[in-house]
Amino acid sequence: MALSMQRIPLAKMACEETGMGVVEDKVIKNNFACEYILNKYRYTKTCGIMSQDRPNGNTVLAEPLGVVAAIIPTTNPTSTAIFKILLCLKTRNGIFLSPHPRAKKCTCYTAELCLRAAVAAGAPANIVGWIDEPSVALSQRLMAHKHVSLILATGGPSMVKAAYQSGNPAIGVGAGNCPSVIDETADVEMAVASVITSKTFDNGMICASEQTIVVVDAVYDQVQQELRKRGCHICTPEEKKKLAAVILLPSKTPNPKVVGQSAAKILEMAGVKSHRDTRVIIAECTTPGEPFSLEKLCPSLGMFRVASFHDAVDTAVACLEHVGLGHTAALYTHPQNTDRIDHFAHKVPTGRILVNCPSAQGGIGDIYNFCLAPSLTLGCGSWGGNAVSENLGPRHLLNYKTVAERRENMLWLQQPKRVYFKYGCTHTALTSELRGKKRALIVTDKPLHDLGFSQRIQQSLKSVGVESEVFYDVEPDPSFDTVFAGLKAIRLFQPDVIIALGGGSPMDAAKIMWLFYEFPDYEGKLDQLCARFLDIRKRIYQLPTNASRKAQLICIPTSSGTGSEVTPFAVITDKKDQVKYPITDYALTPDMAICDPQLTLTMPRSMVSATGLDVLTHAIESYVSTLATPFTMSYSKQAIEMTCKYLERSYVNGGKDQEARENMHYAATIAGIAFANAFLGVCHSVAHKLGSAFHIPHGIANAIMLPHVILYNSSTVYTHAMSQERYCEIADLIGVGQGKKPTEKVMALAQHIDTMKTALNVPLSIQAWGVPEGQFLAKLDELAELAFDDQCTGTNPRYPLIAEIKELLLDGYYGTLGKRTLNTLDHTFVDPSA
């Protein structure tokens, strides 16, 4: 209020001391700095807690910066001083002003008035300071002072540059050079009146004011006529030349002698005769970059004639590229021309884009648009070499502290909509689910097809009127070539149901066939599909989740291992580099799974052992995964218990032991639900690469590596790691941990798995499987790096180094269980049998 009461005396002082501007307009600027800033930020919170989100554990606090060094320009010596002081007081910052030497009296008096009023209101003494006798040297010393926290630099390019080079944080402004486009749909009278209102305000010293008008040919003559009618002087070529020499210096910067002077005075200085009431000087231009198309800070304008709206926009951009990038641009067009407004906004490189507004008054905000913040410091962003591109406000003068409390991200339990299980349930499940469907394509392998499995499925489909075909060319470890061959068959047949029948290979292949059938665009994006991620919710490349479906995906496993019937995973081999790629996304989760133990009765022993040990690995790795939850762990424990109880029986007794086969089949699916949500670990990472390099069946590779990974993960060097405790729980669950210490329980678990392997006729090492030592060692480094980058590695309870994976591989190759020194509390895991 104290400053508002002094608005007229301060305006008079500014005009008298600087010899620039219009008293009445400076009164408005002073009032704007007092009234509009107060009104905008009166209730804005600038201290303490700014925002708080208790459920998500996030609190933001605001604190002052400290001392702000404020450079005050000669063009706005009182209003800018008021503006910066009020912002600093609002944000609890101290401020020290460096006035322009040509405006020191009025700026210092303004600062003194502010200080008195602030102290009277309870502010600390000396919260506002200033340089009484300013100079360039003193300004530079102020900006470089060690106690200055921020510089607000409003002034010429050299002063702004010095602020940025001071070594202290700075917010500067850039040169203005506002181009104003008037198209053929604009209200010409309103446009011209607005331009003149803006350009004559304080004799054109507001940096946001128009410097050129770019007029479409269809209304050019009308605009020129309106300008003359409103007291503008249109220069002849000779007058233009004379005036250019007066208005700009050889450096093409404004001549200080004409800044803030009236149009009549400038014409007189150039020796050009005109009416003494001339309001604005207009010079017709043809080339961006010529003198009248640059910033002039006086009531003069360049005027371009262009053929079309798009030419006008291009000309405006060209003018800005000479000077004024990032500052302000204006467009006069019909308000409903949203396409033109959008084009102008996207094309023009400025922080403020004003539509049908006088740019001087519009640019400083809160007059012609109440969302644009009121400000007398207008940032130009990186276009103009500034730190900010918006109108300066309190938020730029605060430090923010973010208090982030530990929170766990939301987890989930996802699985197919329906899972059918029980001996002989296949026919009932298919016929009850698929009534009304028209065509089903069955994806399987040749051995199953030759054994009549697919024909049985076709008979069930036929009974409910579903036409079917069979693609039976899926090989073990299916390749992308097979996927594309099956995709071709699918596109020819156009099914509304895709049924995967078999082990992991047909199911994995069918998932990717289904994906490419549903979303053809993904077919050419294999690199993105195979890309690793840290968090499935934040992956770089995302698959669709809610699109309409061409076909339902049903998985019917005939072996008890992969769990692919309930998982979002598919493993596909690239034959070119012989690498298996685990592809993961919940979009790949089947719509329905049918777990019919009857289909597993003829499984050969070799498959029973390999797939059964794969189930055990799924269950154990998902139990200790970093994403394991009480929901997934219950599934994991159930699968572990069932596998340890029934796997050997299923292997020894074969299909005669229906109970064992049935429970192992359920265990595979239950483990699949667990690791579909908790994911796996480094054992699978290594197994994927061993399978690709040496064609070791996936379950066998997992079984060989699992004991070594258990010992590796049990390291207690990670004081809060839960893996050792969970391995002990597993040991107790299966009856091998009673009465033992934690380290002994873990070793007992690892040894029990080796005992199971022996009973199932599975080798204890990669070497025993038959991989030659020379071949293994030649690929060792590559295998370790590939395993490190496998998708499963990220959820292993102990994040491995590549060198540690290499050691694991060596342990797995030679079968040296427990012999290698581990980083445990007692630094050793000693095999009791050694």
Side-chain angles (χ1 to χ4, degrees):
M1 181 59 73
L3 294 166
S4 181
M5 297 295 290
Q6 294 293 318
R7 61 190 181 279
I8 295 177
L10 290 175
K12 286 182 176 178
M13 285 182 68
C15 284
E16 288 169 5
E17 187 175 6
T18 64
M20 297 187 296
V22 179
V23 170
E24 294 81 358
D25 293 341
K26 288 192 182 297
V27 171
I28 293 173
K29 288 202 285 188
N30 289 337
N31 225 18
F32 175 86
C34 296
E35 181 180 312
Y36 279 65
I37 302 305
L38 176 64
N39 178 70
K40 177 70 174 178
Y41 300 117
R42 187 195 305 264
Y43 302 112
T44 298
K45 189 172 178 60
T46 56
C47 62
I49 296 176
M50 303 295 287
S51 65
Q52 192 166 45
D53 182 354
R54 280 291 187 197
N56 291 309
N58 193 77
T59 303
V60 177
L61 306 170
E63 293 200 354
L65 302 177
V67 176
V68 174
I71 308 303
I72 308 300
T74 186
T75 51
N76 301 300
T78 56
S79 55
T80 298
I82 295 168
F83 166 71
K84 291 184 177 180
I85 291 169
L86 288 182
L87 284 192
C88 285
L89 292 174
K90 176 65 178 174
T91 52
R92 300 182 296 155
N93 290 298
I95 183 169
F96 209 95
L97 281 69
S98 177
H100 192 282
R102 288 172 56 191
K104 62 184 179 183
K105 291 181 182 178
C106 61
T107 300
C108 291
Y109 182 62
T110 301
E112 186 178 352
L113 288 174
C114 289
L115 177 60
R116 285 183 205 159
V119 172
N126 303 316
I127 191 74
V128 180
W130 57 88
I131 300 174
D132 292 303
E133 294 295 333
S135 65
V136 172
L138 281 175
S139 291
Q140 290 176 337
R141 284 186 63 187
L142 171 64
M143 290 189 292
H145 197 281
K146 65 180 180 179
H147 292 311
V148 165
S149 300
L150 178 71
I151 303 163
L152 293 181
T154 308
S158 59
M159 185 58 73
V160 173
K161 184 177 180 181
Y164 281 121
Q165 293 177 340
S166 67
N168 282 322
I171 295 177
V173 298
N177 187 31
C178 175
S180 188
V181 169
I182 303 174
D183 75 7
E184 72 278 10
T185 71
D187 181 333
V188 170
E189 289 188 9
M190 182 271 287
V192 171
S194 296
V195 168
I196 294 173
T197 298
S198 172
K199 196 60 199 172
T200 57
F201 186 78
D202 207 22
N203 282 338
M205 283 196 295
I206 289 186
C207 54
S209 66
E210 296 86 349
Q211 303 299 325
T212 56
I213 50 176
V214 185
V215 186
V216 172
D217 181 70
V219 292
Y220 186 87
D221 293 338
Q222 184 183 353
V223 169
Q224 197 174 75
Q225 182 181 353
E226 193 67 26
L227 288 166
R228 284 195 175 97
K229 184 173 111 177
R230 293 178 181 271
C232 297
H233 178 86
I234 311 294
C235 299
T236 65
E238 184 60 31
E239 290 171 343
K240 175 184 172 183
K241 187 175 180 181
K242 288 181 180 180
L243 284 160
V246 170
I247 290 174
L248 295 181
L249 299 174
S251 62
K252 292 190 175 181
T253 56
N255 180 357
K257 293 180 180 179
V258 305
V259 171
Q261 305 305 311
S262 68
K265 185 172 181 179
I266 295 168
L267 288 165
E268 183 181 344
M269 291 169 64
V272 175
K273 292 183 179 181
S274 181
H275 195 280
R276 63 185 179 87
D277 292 330
T278 296
R279 302 179 71 190
V280 180
I281 302 165
I282 309 288
E284 295 181 286
C285 300
T286 57
T287 307
E290 61 178 275
F292 269 88
S293 71
L294 305 176
E295 185 181 38
K296 300 170 283 294
L297 295 180
C298 63
S300 63
L301 287 167
M303 184 174 180
F304 287 89
R305 184 174 200 151
V306 295
S308 67
F309 166 73
H310 286 88
D311 290 337
V313 176
D314 292 343
T315 301
V317 172
C319 289
L320 288 165
E321 287 172 345
H322 284 278
V323 66
L325 281 171
H327 205 291
T328 305
L331 169 64
Y332 290 93
T333 187
H334 193 282
Q336 294 182 354
N337 286 342
T338 54
D339 56 336
R340 290 194 171 189
I341 295 170
D342 291 345
H343 176 78
F344 190 74
H346 284 95
K347 189 87 172 180
V348 176
T350 59
R352 281 149 296 280
I353 294 168
L354 308 173
V355 180
N356 296 324
C357 302
S359 66
Q361 294 88 342
I364 61 175
D366 208 22
I367 296 176
Y368 287 94
N369 184 290
F370 309 115
C371 294
L372 184 61
S375 181
L376 292 175
T377 298
L378 312 183
C380 298
S382 61
W383 301 294
N386 299 164
V388 298
S389 60
E390 54 198 348
N391 289 10
L392 187 78
R395 70 189 190 88
H396 301 105
L397 303 187
L398 292 168
N399 279 324
Y400 295 93
K401 294 179 177 178
T402 299
V403 181
E405 303 171 39
R406 179 167 178 160
R407 291 290 187 272
E408 300 284 336
N409 207 339
M410 178 196 74
L411 294 173
W412 54 79
L413 189 71
Q414 298 198 41
Q415 60 190 74
K417 295 176 183 177
R418 286 172 296 285
V419 178
Y420 289 90
F421 60 95
K422 265 304 173 184
Y423 189 89
C425 68
T426 303
H427 177 77
T428 303
L430 288 174
T431 54
S432 62
E433 282 286 339
L434 300 186
R435 290 186 185 277
K437 297 293 183 180
K438 299 185 182 304
R439 287 182 295 278
L441 187 126
I442 301 166
V443 177
T444 189
D445 56 40
K446 194 170 189 305
L448 286 173
H449 181 68
D450 290 344
L451 288 170
F453 278 74
S454 54
Q455 288 86 341
R456 280 183 252 166
I457 302 297
Q458 286 185 294
Q459 288 172 6
S460 295
L461 295 171
K462 186 177 180 181
S463 70
V464 289
V466 178
E467 184 184 352
S468 63
E469 285 190 1
V470 182
F471 177 84
Y472 53 82
D473 291 334
V474 178
E475 77 275 36
D477 298 329
S479 66
F480 283 110
D481 293 342
T482 300
V483 168
F484 291 128
L487 181 63
K488 183 177 180 181
I490 290 173
R491 286 175 175 163
L492 285 172
F493 189 54
Q494 293 286 305
D496 50 4
V497 179
I498 295 173
I499 299 173
L501 175 68
S505 295
M507 288 190 284
D508 288 358
K511 287 180 180 181
I512 306 304
M513 292 176 194
W514 168 86
L515 176 68
F516 292 161
Y517 176 52
E518 293 282 344
F519 310 104
D521 291 346
Y522 291 83
E523 187 177 339
K525 300 176 180 178
L526 298 182
D527 290 344
Q528 293 95 320
L529 286 173
C530 299
R532 270 204 60 189
F533 53 82
L534 292 177
D535 188 328
I536 195 169
R537 294 161 294 200
K538 301 173 184 177
R539 62 187 301 170
I540 296 170
Y541 189 76
Q542 294 186 329
L543 298 184
T545 56
N546 57 356
S548 59
R549 307 284 286 265
K550 296 178 187 175
Q552 185 178 5
L553 178 62
I554 298 174
C555 286
I556 307 174
T558 60
S559 62
S560 306
T562 67
S564 188
E565 66 275 8
V566 291
T567 73
F569 309 117
V571 180
I572 306 296
T573 301
D574 187 339
K575 284 186 175 179
K576 294 178 183 177
D577 54 16
Q578 286 299 304
V579 173
K580 286 185 176 183
Y581 289 99
I583 301 171
T584 306
D585 197 279
Y586 283 107
L588 297 178
T589 303
D591 298 294
M592 186 172 80
I594 301 174
C595 302
D596 184 350
Q598 184 180 17
L599 302 177
T600 69
L601 297 182
T602 57
M603 282 174 60
R605 283 186 170 186
S606 60
M607 183 180 289
V608 169
S609 59
T611 58
L613 290 168
D614 194 20
V615 171
L616 183 63
T617 308
H618 290 157
I620 291 177
E621 286 212 289
S622 62
Y623 192 71
V624 300
S625 161
T626 58
L627 290 181
T629 70
F631 292 87
T632 64
M633 291 167 69
S634 62
Y635 284 96
S636 301
K637 288 174 71 174
Q638 182 67 35
I640 292 168
E641 193 170 19
M642 293 171 76
T643 303
C644 289
K645 182 176 181 180
Y646 291 106
L647 176 55
E648 188 174 342
R649 277 177 53 183
S650 178
Y651 176 79
V652 173
N653 301 333
K656 294 181 294 182
D657 193 338
Q658 183 177 318
E659 181 187 19
R661 288 289 169 103
E662 183 170 359
N663 278 278
M664 278 308 302
H665 204 45
Y666 297 161
T669 300
I670 291 168
I673 294 172
F675 83 83
N677 295 278
F679 295 177
L680 297 165
V682 75
C683 184
H684 266 76
S685 302
V686 172
H688 290 149
K689 310 316 168 189
L690 289 173
S692 296
F694 305 116
H695 305 291
I696 303 174
H698 179 64
I700 301 298
N702 269 323
I704 290 172
M705 294 305 305
L706 182 58
H708 305 286
V709 170
I710 288 172
L711 297 186
Y712 170 77
N713 285 341
S714 295
S715 167
T716 54
V717 71
Y718 301 102
T719 56
H720 294 290
M722 298 295 292
S723 53
Q724 186 184 86
E725 180 180 331
R726 290 181 183 173
Y727 286 133
C728 290
E729 291 172 1
I730 295 171
D732 290 339
L733 177 71
I734 62 175
V736 298
Q738 286 74 9
K740 296 182 174 67
K741 296 177 181 179
T743 54
E744 294 171 341
K745 289 185 179 184
V746 173
M747 179 57 72
L749 173 62
Q751 290 176 331
H752 180 74
I753 293 169
D754 271 356
T755 301
M756 288 179 68
K757 288 189 291 187
T758 301
L760 298 171
N761 199 28
V762 172
L764 301 184
S765 69
I766 300 168
Q767 188 176 45
W769 178 259
V771 176
E773 185 176 39
Q775 289 184 23
F776 177 80
L777 294 176
K779 292 189 175 184
L780 179 61
D781 290 336
E782 181 186 5
L783 288 172
E785 185 170 329
L786 288 171
F788 171 79
D789 199 42
D790 189 272
Q791 185 59 61
C792 295
T793 301
T795 47
N796 195 66
R798 178 179 175 184
Y799 197 72
L801 303 176
I802 295 174
E804 292 172 335
I805 296 177
K806 185 176 176 180
E807 290 181 0
L808 279 172
L809 280 161
L810 288 169
D811 285 345
Y813 184 79
Y814 295 111
T816 51
L817 179 61
K819 301 291 181 63
R820 189 175 296 278
T821 300
L822 301 174
N823 292 318
T824 61
L825 278 177
D826 58 6
H827 294 286
T828 108
F829 257 112
V830 179
D831 184 345
S833 65

